[in-house]
Each structure stands twice: as C-alpha cells, then as structure tokens.
Amino acid sequence: MSSLDTLIQDLVIANRILAKEDVVDAYGHVSVRHPDNPKHFFISRSLAPELIERDDIVELDLAGEPVREERRSLYLERFIHAGVYELRPDVMAVVHAHAEDILPFGIAKATELRPVIHSGSFIGSSVPVWDIADKFGDTNVLVTNMAQARDLGKCLSQNNVALMRGHGFASAGRSLIEVVRMSVYLPRNARALMRARQLGGEIKYLSQGEIDARNRGYSAYSPETWRAWEYWATKAGCGHMLSKPDEKHEHGKK
Amino acid sequence: MSSLDTLIQDLVIANRILAKEDVVDAYGHVSVRHPDNPKHFFISRSLAPELIERDDIVELDLAGEPVREERRSLYLERFIHAGVYELRPDVMAVVHAHAEDILPFGIAKATELRPVIHSGSFIGSSVPVWDIADKFGDTNVLVTNMAQARDLGKCLSQNNVALMRGHGFASAGRSLIEVVRMSVYLPRNARALMRARQLGGEIKYLSQGEIDARNRGYSAYSPETWRAWEYWATKAGCGHMLSKPDEKHEHGKK
Amino acid sequence: MSSLDTLIQDLVIANRILAKEDVVDAYGHVSVRHPDNPKHFFISRSLAPELIERDDIVELDLAGEPVREERRSLYLERFIHAGVYELRPDVMAVVHAHAEDILPFGIAKATELRPVIHSGSFIGSSVPVWDIADKFGDTNVLVTNMAQARDLGKCLSQNNVALMRGHGFASAGRSLIEVVRMSVYLPRNARALMRARQLGGEIKYLSQGEIDARNRGYSAYSPETWRAWEYWATKAGCGHMLSKPDEKHEHGKK
Amino acid sequence: MSSLDTLIQDLVIANRILAKEDVVDAYGHVSVRHPDNPKHFFISRSLAPELIERDDIVELDLAGEPVREERRSLYLERFIHAGVYELRPDVMAVVHAHAEDILPFGIAKATELRPVIHSGSFIGSSVPVWDIADKFGDTNVLVTNMAQARDLGKCLSQNNVALMRGHGFASAGRSLIEVVRMSVYLPRNARALMRARQLGGEIKYLSQGEIDARNRGYSAYSPETWRAWEYWATKAGCGHMLSKPDEKHEHGKK
C-alpha cells in the first residue's frame, strides 16, 4: 500500500476504535489532514463511525467542501474540522464527539475540566468551554458553517481540546494516533475528576511541570503509544488492518 | 413489500433497538399508529422486545382491544398507547419504558428533567411528572385501563414525554424513528443533568430558542436521522431488515 | 421430564440468569426447596453460577449437610439457605449474593433501602440490615454455621430481603421465578434510590398500599412474570432449557 | 508440563483475567517471582495484557533488566515489580494498573480507601497513597527507574496495596491467584465506599479483627479461591489453559 492508502486505512481504524471505546455513537467523527496537501483533509461521508469502510472516506478542502464530485451526504458538522485545520497548521487530526461523561463539564459552571490522571495529561492544562450561543444566539447547537467553526477554533486556540456547551468536544492532535488516544482518555479523566469531587476535600491536579514532562516524552510510534493503538484496534475487530510505521515504510517503497 | 409490511418490519426493528440500547428490558413496549386507519395501532403481543418477530405484532383499537380474534396474551399496559393515540391525533408512535436513569427524576422532587444536551432537545422544554396515585390512590402502579391512560395522556398534553412516578416514562413522536431516537437520548440527557448537578454551580439548559431551532430542522428521513437508525439497527442485529424510504416507495409500487 | 427434573433444570437456569444479570459473579448462590420434602433443598456444589450444569446440583438437609455421600466441595455459606428454609415454611427459594449496588445500603447508616420503583416492590416495605458482628464479633464475615444462619433468619423474619453488612443480601421467595426477579430488581431499585437522593428533595417511596396491591396481583406464571423469565433465560444462553408450566404438566404425565 | 511452564501459563491467564475484569486496559501489568530463583521474576514484554501469549513472557532480574538477550520492547514501568520484589521477600506476585474507580482516592484528599466489603478485606486495613512528586518533583508520573520504584516500595511497606496519585495502584500478594483477586475486588470496594459516602451518615468499615480473620482463613487453592480463578479464566476465554494444583502435581510427575 502507498503511505496515503495506509493513512486512510488508519482513519478507518480510528473510526472503529472511537466507536468501540464509546467516544462516538451514531454521531461524532474523526478526520486526518492530507499529508501532502495541508489544505485538504480526509473524513467519512455521513455514516456512523462503526460502519465505515475505506470507500466511505472523502477528501474535503478547508471550506469543508468535497474536492471531487460527491453525491453522497456529508456530515453537517464537517466544518469543525475545516475550521481547526485552517487555524492550526500544527494539527494533523481532529475528533468531534459527544462522549457522555464530558458533557457535564460543559453544562455546569462550577468545575473546570483539567487533567487529574496521567493518561489525561494530553488534554492539556486548560480545556476552554465554547458556547455557540455567545456569538450566534439561538441555533440548533450544531456547527454548520465556517463562521461558527472559526469561532470554535478561536476558542480552542492553542489548546488540545475545547468543550462545546450542551453538545460535546473538539480535540486536535499531531497525528491520528494522538487524537484518538486523547479522545479515549478525555472521558476517563472527566469521570476521575467527578468522583474525586464527590469524595470531597482538596483535588490534586497534575502540575504544569508534569503535563509538560509527559508531553515532551510523547511519540506517536513509541512502544507505549503503539501498544494502545494495537490493542484498541484488535478489540474493535480491525487488528488485521494494522500496519506498523516500519511496515508502512516498506510498503511505501514498492 | 407493501408499505404496511415495511412499517411492521420497522416496528420489529424499533423493538430490537430499544432492547439493545437499554431503554427496555423484559418490560416496556413501542407501538405505531396504522397509517390508513388512525383508530388502530400496531404493537407486539406480550413478549420481551428483544425477542419480537413480525408474527408477534397485533393490531389494536383505541380502546386497547385487538381488532381480530387473539388468543395470545397482550401487554397489560397497552392502554398507555391507546390513550395517547386517542388524545393526540398528531402522534404516530409511542414508547413506554422503565429506562433506569430517568427513574430518579420521577422519584425526587427537587430537580426537573429538562434538555441540557443537543440530542436531548426532542424531549421538549417541559417533561411533566404523572403520579398515578394522585387520582387513583393505591394501585399496582401500572396503567391497566383507559381511565388511567386518559389521565396520563392529559398530563402528557402537548409535550413529547411524561415521566411516570416510580415507574418509567411515556414518549410520543411523529414517527417510529423519532420516538425511538427520543427514547434513546432521554436517559442520556438525564445522566448528563444528574452529573452536572453533582459538579455544582449554575446549570446551563438548552434555551427555548435552541429547542425550537432543533425541532424545526428535524426530519425523519434526513441523513442525520437515518444515520442513527441504520447504526442502531445494525448493532441490534437487524441491519438486514432495514428499508430506506425511497426503497420502500419502490417496493410499494410493485 | 418429571416435575423434579424440570425444577432442577429451572435451578440451573436461575443460576445462569443471576450471573448474566450481574447479581452474582464467582460468588453467590440460589437454591430451591424440595417440593415433596420440605426438609430438603437443592443447590449447586461449590461452583461459579454461570458454569453450573444439572450434575452440579446437590440435595441438602436443613442442617446444610448433603443427604447423599458427596465428595465435591460445597458452598461455605450454604447454611444461609438452610437457616431460611428452617424458619420460614412459606419460602420455596432463596438467593444469597453480593450485587454491588446494594452494598452501600449495608455500609452507610443514613439511608434505608425501600422500594421506589414498581419493579422493586417485591423486596417489601422494609429491608432489615443484619450485622454479623452484633452477635458474633470479629468473624470472616461469612455465614458458616447454623447459629449464624439462624440469627440472620431471625433478622430477615417475615421480610423478603435482608441486607448483610459489608457482605451482600439474602432474599426469600415463594418460587424460583419470584426470588430471581426480586434479586434482579433489588440492585436496580437501590440505584434509583441512590440517584434520587443525589438529585435532592423529598423522596417519593412506593406506599404500603401500592406494595400490597402489587403483591396481591403477583403470580409466578402470569404472562408478565413469564415474560421476564423467558427473556432473561434467552439472554443467558439457556432459552432451550425453558419449560412452561403447562408443558411441565404434560411432561409430568408421561 | 513442568511446574515452571504451568506458572507461566498461569501468568498468561492472570493477564487475560485482569483485562476482562477491567483492571487493566492497554496499560497495566502483572508479574510473578521465579519460584526457584527469588532474584528473578516473569512479566510480559510491552504488550496489552489481553493479547499476551506464552512467548511474550520474559524473565527479568531485580534491577528490572532482562536476564537473556531481548530485542523486544519492555514495559517502561517494569521497575515497580523489581522494587517490590527487592523490598518484600514474602511477595510472590505483583500487579500495577490504573483501574478507573480507585483513581479518585489518589486524587481527593478527604477519604481514605479502606475495606468496607468482605471481598475487599485483602487490600488490608491501610492503603497508603504514594505521590511521586513528593520526592521526584515534576516527572511524567511514571515509575521509570529503580530509585522511584524503591520509594514506592517504601511507601507500600508491609501493606498489600499502595495507591499512586494521579496514576493507579500497585498490589502485592503471596501468589498470582491472590494478587489477581485483590486487584479485581479493589475497585469494587472503592465503588462501594464512594457510594456509601454519597448515601451519607457513618460508614461501617470492616474491623481489624474481621480483616485478620479473613486473612487467616485465606488459602490460594481452597475451593472458594479456586472458584473465582476458574470462573474468571473461563470468562476471559482461557478456561482450557487452567491447571488445578493437584493436576499440576500429576503433570509434573510425568
């Protein structure tokens, strides 16, 4: 397979992992930027992530429009992805989802979502909450155009995750593997914090130094990172689709 | 298949989805109004929703009685459906269930169930709580006759969902697809609200304008609505029973 | 099959249901009194309920000892069953288990477990908490002899369920079907009450009149009761072992 | 099989059980000390526990280094195991994991994790919380060298479990069967305590005398202990790998 084929295969895997790990259900989506053309990205047509196959992947531009004629329906909220890729050249992959246990942090004002467990460190030290109503008033709460997407992107700013009030979250990573991992541990970190608050007393968050140290040590294809990707893919029934980076390289040579 | 056959097939799918998504267990039921005869509706004989096949579906009238001779047992609470269809000509499908996470809102008096997440908007801005004891005193808490069903219907009024104290809920929609979706997201909205309250501070509910905007944008066969129905049916093991509206139309012509 | 064979088959089914419904795990057990000899009862040898087959069932007397030579290990806590059968001639089936969500009510003193949902009514209006330490001081917290079992039985008295502090519960019913159903809905009622308390405000419990009305309407082989038994057995993979009461009768005649 | 082969087989089973019971996910590991050489222990190479086979098991020394040439990646945190084996000659097996429901007790300062349910007694009367930051300042929160491992071991001291702030736990047992069982019931005990606190009022913990009585009665191959190991192994899909102690003995003779 060419490296582009492998990337699209990885995008299929990412969709299935997010479904299996309860980050997405019928709704929610993940995209990856075109490695050779930063103004394009790949995402599925409108379909539940668990059901996605290679042929469902489409190529969109930074206006959220398909670059080839496309008669199939597209995700209404594909603009979220376009908006983040436009504003953040460093971002290579984006997830938008409604994972249940992050929702309360976008609804209740008293508790800020911050990392309390080591696997939650990648959400970053600050997770802003974006409220579509602040700028756009009464909407259907969905991000359905570039103006809304850019406003969300502005709120996300240089952070890795933004909560969307009454709706879900958008997360941005340097690779598919990173953004999937971040999105899987985001609700787990949220649950740990919720329950710690119920136990009462002072909460011990990860320190900025700890978050920085973890970030410095992160590598998309380290044995530790790969271990989770391999495991989650296997659980999601697509272990046979996995291709390790070195294998990708060899395949790319053919 | 005729369009009536397709509708009954969809009713089987609806039962299986509600079971798979933990809205019903051994108990709870879903019905659909006869499209050509508004005084009749379809519902299963007394059977756990996950086990229902086409032949289990029976046709009842608005008194909750079978329109053909029927020797098999019927649901004790089929009157709930009859009562809602009688009072609400706009309603085409009804669910009654005991989904666990809505129960606390019918038991504790301090917190009203209202939409806090976008997918919960379809429950409507107000969810009344009906207490069978208010009018009928000490009963077995089940709705077993038309007088009780009409009292519940009166409480439901023009809303989409009514909670039933110590028992469950009744939801009413313009189509099977709508009422199933509403019933799936109802407990999720309930959990988000419960947990937001635990986090503390002011709760940000969906505004009336947001609820209205979402309702205006709703269509039973939009790609977004279909996406969930297709996904849930596939998860519930009946993807092969799916028939898209246009296919239905074509089949109907034959 | 003879009716005794059918009863033992039903005991196998009961074990599998309780495992599938998360009432028991590796531990916990269910028994049924011998229909023709009230001084004997049937229970499995020491084995996790999900793995039990017909040949694992043994016959014990009211001292908790096997009535035939038995070289296989028996449950340490089989005395719980003997104690309840001895003290309560009306009881035909007993469950002892550690279902997770009832545990807090035996540990925290502030909230009494009482029925708040209609399916929880069968636990009865009062659920006493038995603390083995009150009479026996520092033990391994298990009921390992008849003296302890009789003390638990005394606490259970005429109720249907007793909680055991830091340990679990014992439930007693008029039939296997009844005691299984009660044990499945017991943790669900516990969760509904816990969450209602978190929501705050006054709690609306089932009234004594409602509990009585439901109890009067209960029948072990009504279509409603059978519906759950059939569904749970099917989910637990032993739908093929089911025999309806009338079939039992016919089989019994052969 | 030789008894060493059987032990390694049991280590594979232990990994699969911990994965199935949600104690580990992609991360977390279990090890067993070499029965004939107390300065060596067995653990998997870097791989998700659910995917581990016999050939993935490696032999390490008490510095956490492989005793044979090994080109495959090893767990970053294998030092945790080395540290505990070094300091605690009585310990024969170690688990390190991030089971979700113990995390809040390492984050919130108000509530100490202690046994409240009989199956939780084996965690011991005191569960210290180790904070890597106390001695090592801002790290990536992982135990990646022997100095950190020894500090953790010092905190664990003669206890059975230590929580690791913002990270997980380390547990130590006299056998694989014991440490797996302790690790499975640890989060369950944590949940029971969390929920008891939510119910409010005085909490009834196990007394020291009860903990001692249970510990005195514990035996790694009693029918009660075996029952859970057999059940969990079967659930985890490796019932066919089980070998009972007496069978091990017979096999060993061949």
Side-chain angles (χ1 to χ4, degrees), chain D:
Chain D
M1 285 198 287
S2 76
S3 65
L4 196 60
D5 281 346
T6 306
L7 188 70
I8 287 171
Q9 184 95 311
D10 282 352
L11 182 56
V12 172
I13 296 174
N15 272 283
R16 306 275 190 89
I17 288 175
L18 291 172
K20 185 71 180 179
E21 301 298 321
D22 272 333
V23 179
V24 299
D25 58 352
Y27 302 102
H29 15 81
V30 50
S31 67
V32 65
R33 198 193 285 266
H34 195 306
D36 305 323
N37 180 351
K39 305 213 155 181
H40 286 184
F41 67 96
F42 298 101
I43 193 169
S44 172
R45 68 174 179 98
S46 176
L47 189 65
E50 190 175 308
L51 309 180
I52 288 169
E53 309 277 355
R54 294 179 65 95
D55 289 346
D56 298 310
I57 305 298
V58 295
E59 188 174 341
L60 306 186
D61 62 25
L62 294 194
E65 298 306 333
V67 300
R68 287 176 202 88
E69 198 191 333
E70 182 58 60
R71 299 182 57 184
R72 297 172 298 180
S73 300
L74 300 177
Y75 290 132
L76 275 187
E77 295 198 297
R78 60 193 183 274
F79 305 101
I80 294 173
H81 303 259
V84 174
Y85 290 125
E86 184 186 77
L87 290 162
R88 290 276 302 272
D90 60 312
V91 166
M92 294 304 287
V94 172
V95 166
H96 165 61
H98 313 143
E100 195 174 303
D101 289 323
I102 60 97
L103 297 171
F105 290 90
I107 295 166
K109 295 210 162 172
T111 308
E112 204 185 339
L113 184 57
R114 284 169 52 195
V116 286
I117 55 173
H118 76 305
S119 50
S121 68
F122 301 107
I123 67 174
S125 44
S126 176
V127 178
V129 179
W130 179 69
D131 189 340
I132 192 172
D134 287 346
K135 186 151 176 190
F136 300 95
D138 282 340
T139 65
N140 65 359
V141 200
L142 302 176
V143 174
T144 56
N145 59 51
M146 285 305 296
Q148 292 169 340
R150 284 180 186 123
D151 194 54
L152 167 58
K154 215 169 115 183
C155 173
L156 174 66
S157 183
Q158 295 309 306
N159 297 293
N160 297 339
V161 182
L163 298 183
M164 302 158 76
R165 188 269 306 164
H167 181 173
F169 73 88
S171 59
R174 292 161 290 184
S175 67
L176 265 179
I177 285 192
E178 186 185 41
V179 84
V180 165
R181 183 193 170 122
M182 192 189 298
S183 303
V184 168
Y185 283 116
L186 177 68
R188 182 174 300 191
N189 186 82
R191 284 192 293 272
L193 178 52
M194 267 194 279
R195 288 166 191 162
R197 271 190 53 105
Q198 286 171 30
L199 287 180
E202 186 199 334
I203 301 290
K204 201 107 200 241
Y205 295 92
L206 291 201
S207 72
Q208 186 61 48
E210 288 173 331
I211 294 170
D212 292 343
R214 287 187 59 75
N215 200 40
R216 275 194 306 274
Y218 178 81
S219 151
Y221 292 101
S222 72
E224 288 69 39
T225 310
W226 181 259
R227 197 197 314 166
W229 179 258
E230 177 188 32
Y231 173 57
W232 289 329
T234 304
K235 268 177 79 183
C238 43
H240 62 289
M241 297 185 196
L242 284 168
S243 52
K244 268 200 131 160
D246 54 339
E247 293 166 4
K248 283 176 199 175
H249 186 64
E250 281 171 25
H251 285 140
K253 275 184 186 165
K254 282 176 198 172

Side-chain angles (χ1 to χ4, degrees), chain B residues 25-27 46-48 50 73 75-76 100-101 104 107-111 131 138-140 142 165-166 197-198, chain C residues 116-118 181 185 188 191 195-196 198-200 202 204 206-207 209-210 213-214 223-224 227-228 230-231:
Chain B
D25 57 352
Y27 302 101
S46 176
L47 189 66
E50 190 176 307
S73 301
Y75 291 132
L76 274 188
E100 193 174 304
D101 289 323
I107 295 167
K109 295 210 161 170
T111 307
D131 189 339
D138 282 339
T139 64
N140 64 359
L142 302 176
R165 190 267 309 163
R197 270 190 54 106
Q198 285 171 30
Chain C
V116 285
I117 54 173
H118 76 305
R181 182 192 171 124
Y185 283 115
R188 182 174 298 193
R191 284 193 292 274
R195 289 167 190 160
Q198 286 171 31
L199 288 179
E202 187 199 335
K204 202 106 200 240
L206 292 201
S207 72
E210 288 172 332
R214 288 187 60 74
E224 289 70 39
R227 198 198 312 166
E230 177 186 32
Y231 173 56

Side-chain angles (χ1 to χ4, degrees), chain C residues 86-225:
Chain C
E86 183 185 78
L87 290 161
R88 289 275 301 274
D90 59 313
V91 165
M92 294 304 287
V94 172
V95 166
H96 165 62
H98 314 142
E100 195 174 303
D101 289 322
I102 60 95
L103 296 171
F105 290 90
I107 296 167
K109 295 210 161 170
T111 308
E112 204 186 339
L113 183 56
R114 285 169 51 195
V116 285
I117 54 173
H118 76 305
S119 49
S121 68
F122 301 107
I123 67 174
S125 44
S126 176
V127 178
V129 179
W130 179 70
D131 189 339
I132 192 172
D134 287 346
K135 185 150 176 191
F136 300 94
D138 283 339
T139 65
N140 65 358
V141 199
L142 302 176
V143 175
T144 56
N145 59 51
M146 285 305 295
Q148 293 169 339
R150 284 182 186 121
D151 193 54
L152 166 59
K154 214 169 115 183
C155 173
L156 175 65
S157 182
Q158 296 308 307
N159 297 294
N160 296 339
V161 182
L163 298 183
M164 301 158 76
R165 190 267 309 164
H167 181 172
F169 72 89
S171 59
R174 292 160 291 185
S175 68
L176 264 178
I177 284 192
E178 186 184 41
V179 84
V180 165
R181 182 192 171 124
M182 192 190 298
S183 303
V184 169
Y185 283 115
L186 177 68
R188 182 174 298 193
N189 186 82
R191 284 193 292 274
L193 178 51
M194 267 193 280
R195 289 167 190 160
R197 270 190 54 106
Q198 286 171 31
L199 288 179
E202 187 199 335
I203 301 290
K204 202 106 200 240
Y205 295 92
L206 292 201
S207 72
Q208 186 61 48
E210 288 172 332
I211 294 170
D212 293 343
R214 288 187 60 74
N215 201 40
R216 276 194 305 274
Y218 178 82
S219 152
Y221 293 100
S222 72
E224 289 70 39
T225 309

Side-chain angles (χ1 to χ4, degrees), chain B residues 40 58-61 63-72 74 78:
Chain B
H40 287 182
V58 294
E59 189 175 341
L60 306 186
D61 61 26
E65 297 306 332
V67 301
R68 286 175 203 88
E69 197 191 334
E70 181 58 60
R71 299 182 57 184
R72 298 173 296 181
L74 300 178
R78 61 193 183 274

Side-chain angles (χ1 to χ4, degrees), chain C residues 9-19 30 49 176 180 229 238:
Chain C
Q9 183 96 310
D10 282 353
L11 182 55
V12 172
I13 295 174
N15 272 283
R16 307 275 190 88
I17 289 175
L18 292 171
V30 50
L176 264 178
V180 165
W229 180 257
C238 43

Side-chain angles (χ1 to χ4, degrees), chain B residues 1-3 246-254:
Chain B
M1 283 197 290
S2 75
S3 66
D246 53 340
E247 294 166 2
K248 284 176 197 175
H249 186 65
E250 281 170 25
H251 286 139
K253 275 185 185 165
K254 283 177 196 172

